[in-house]
Amino acid sequence: LAAYLHESCDSELPCWSKELYDRNKEVKHMFLFCGAVRDMTDAENTSLSNVCEQMKIPLLPCRLGPIPEFTSKIVCVAGYHFYKGLLGSGLIKLWERKQNQEQSQEMTSIPQASSNNTTQKKLLHTIAMIPIDSTSLTADPNKRCRVHWCMVRLCVCSLYRSKFAGITRDALGNKLSFIFQDGLTINLDQRDFISSLAEKHQAAPSERQILEELCRRRDDALSQECNTLNEMLSAYTDQADVYALDFMGKIHGTSKQVMELAYAEDCSSGDASESSTLLAILEVRDQSGHTNDKMERLHGRIIDAITRAKIQVMAQSLLVSEAQDCEALTVVMLQHLQY
């Protein structure tokens, strides 16, 4: 099976249902096509259709969420669906729908601009615990380690989105907080962080430029005498529909894994709250992959502060703990669920 991916397609990949778990082996090869940097042209779409027809490979226009996103994030989502064994199952179900003409409208692969301009009401706030002291944050390539790379990845995945997402609609606001093991906190807002770099002619910044900006904000935070953790959480004290997912928490037999619940239910977007805030608590791992005593104590302080703010906390497992990019992957999939 082949699929053309674009957010304007009418058909969402149907991968959120229990009935799909046993069907992944029915497809041996899957080909996903999408535009990178720019959308595919009409000529490229025509060529793809002709080739698939000649080779007798079904071509299914579909989307992974209605919001325009970077190709790297779409590939990440597709890869996670494949890891869960549901990418092929979803494509089979979509093909069967097309065969049985169950869709109310003709499926199209021609991109069309969305006219939905709803007001931004949802927020994803990622709180990342960093296993180094704030003074060890550096832009020097010779002094970097996995932690620095992960911080850059979290900035890109949490705060940067396709420019078309802002044109079509603000479906989700994003914030990112780095809390170092010495307690220093850097709080980043999506619009402020991107605008700050753009004003320096760094609209598409390099890793070094992002780290330099983080070092500047680290220095600003050092000069301020305030409890930034409590100040950060105080904004949510009187808000309804604020929840926290603790991806470093102790998992018990009754813990509900949000991603597993999403895959197990045929959820309708109409069931979701129109206004909600989700706090995602992550630990950035160092090269050893172990959690030191400082990080354990820091985690305890964060959970205590969230509990005092009367925010409900649920322990979660990392989505793919063995993945090199597990921290950023978790953020991308949470964004995808919110979309």
Side-chain angles (χ1 to χ4, degrees):
L1 289 173
Y4 162 69
L5 303 179
H6 195 275
E7 67 276 357
S8 69
C9 296
D10 294 330
S11 304
E12 184 79 26
L13 181 70
C15 59
W16 310 102
S17 179
K18 294 178 181 178
E19 65 184 62
L20 297 173
Y21 274 98
D22 298 327
R23 304 204 61 189
N24 194 54
K25 295 181 180 179
E26 294 181 27
V27 57
K28 293 182 178 180
H29 300 286
M30 292 167 278
F31 303 90
L32 301 181
F33 297 89
C34 62
V37 181
R38 59 160 176 78
D39 288 336
M40 290 172 63
T41 64
D42 291 340
E44 289 168 341
N45 276 307
T46 300
S47 296
L48 176 60
S49 298
N50 291 338
V51 170
C52 287
E53 184 177 356
Q54 292 171 7
M55 300 185 69
K56 298 181 179 180
I57 298 175
L59 177 61
L60 308 168
C62 73
R63 70 185 189 191
L64 297 176
I67 305 299
E69 262 297 4
F70 290 126
T71 304
S72 58
K73 288 190 179 183
I74 297 300
V75 172
C76 184
V77 171
Y80 188 71
H81 288 331
F82 179 78
Y83 169 80
K84 297 297 292 184
L86 293 169
L87 180 61
S89 304
L91 290 175
I92 290 173
K93 186 172 182 179
L94 195 60
W95 178 70
E96 290 176 343
R97 285 181 181 177
K98 183 179 181 181
Q99 291 293 101
N100 297 330
Q101 298 181 342
E102 293 178 355
Q103 291 182 305
S104 59
Q105 300 180 22
E106 180 181 356
M107 296 172 63
T108 178
S109 61
I110 301 175
Q112 298 177 1
S114 170
S115 59
N116 191 340
N117 293 309
T118 56
T119 303
Q120 175 179 301
K121 294 181 179 179
K122 296 188 177 183
L123 174 68
L124 174 60
H125 187 164
T126 302
I127 301 172
M129 295 178 291
I130 307 301
I132 59 174
D133 290 334
S134 57
T135 52
S136 297
L137 178 63
T138 178
D140 186 346
N142 296 319
K143 297 179 180 179
R144 295 184 205 169
C145 63
R146 181 184 189 274
V147 173
H148 298 82
W149 177 79
C150 285
M151 293 180 70
V152 172
R153 286 287 297 145
L154 283 169
C155 283
V156 173
C157 290
S158 299
L159 305 176
Y160 281 83
R161 294 169 61 197
S162 165
K163 66 178 181 180
F164 295 108
I167 296 174
T168 55
R169 70 172 165 183
D170 289 325
L172 178 66
N174 291 277
K175 290 185 177 182
L176 173 63
S177 295
F178 291 122
I179 305 182
F180 295 87
Q181 66 179 16
D182 58 13
L184 184 80
T185 301
I186 302 176
N187 296 314
L188 307 174
D189 176 77
Q190 176 178 307
R191 295 184 183 277
D192 172 67
F193 185 78
I194 294 174
S195 298
S196 177
L197 287 171
E199 289 171 357
K200 302 172 186 176
H201 306 288
Q202 298 174 0
S206 65
E207 289 187 21
R208 182 177 188 125
Q209 289 169 336
I210 289 177
L211 287 170
E212 287 174 344
E213 177 67 15
L214 292 178
C215 287
R216 184 187 70 78
R217 292 177 182 248
R218 182 267 320 271
D219 295 340
D220 289 344
L222 283 170
S223 65
Q224 299 173 2
E225 296 182 1
C226 60
N227 190 331
T228 53
L229 175 58
N230 289 333
E231 181 183 3
M232 173 185 69
L233 294 174
S234 65
Y236 307 124
T237 302
D238 298 323
Q239 289 187 19
D241 293 325
V242 181
Y243 307 94
L245 297 180
D246 179 15
F247 289 92
M248 192 184 165
K250 303 299 181 182
I251 305 300
H252 303 287
T254 56
S255 295
K256 294 182 178 179
Q257 301 297 302
V258 168
M259 192 59 65
E260 296 302 324
L261 289 174
Y263 274 120
E265 299 292 337
D266 191 4
C267 299
S268 169
S269 60
D271 298 332
S273 171
E274 292 185 359
S275 178
S276 62
T277 297
L278 178 63
L279 309 180
I281 304 150
L282 302 169
E283 176 194 14
V284 171
R285 300 177 303 177
D286 61 15
Q287 292 91 324
S288 70
H290 301 303
T291 301
N292 61 42
D293 292 340
K294 288 184 178 180
M295 292 294 283
E296 290 281 6
R297 290 192 294 270
L298 174 61
H299 175 251
R301 292 199 301 271
I302 293 173
I303 297 303
D304 287 344
I306 291 176
T307 302
R308 287 196 303 272
K310 298 181 180 180
I311 298 172
Q312 182 179 353
V313 184
M314 293 179 61
Q316 302 287 296
S317 299
L318 279 174
L319 299 191
V320 188
S321 59
E322 67 272 20
Q324 171 67 17
D325 204 18
C326 61
E327 299 91 349
L329 168 65
T330 299
V331 173
V332 171
M333 290 307 300
L334 289 175
Q335 288 177 333
H336 186 63
L337 282 184
Q338 289 279 49
Y339 293 157

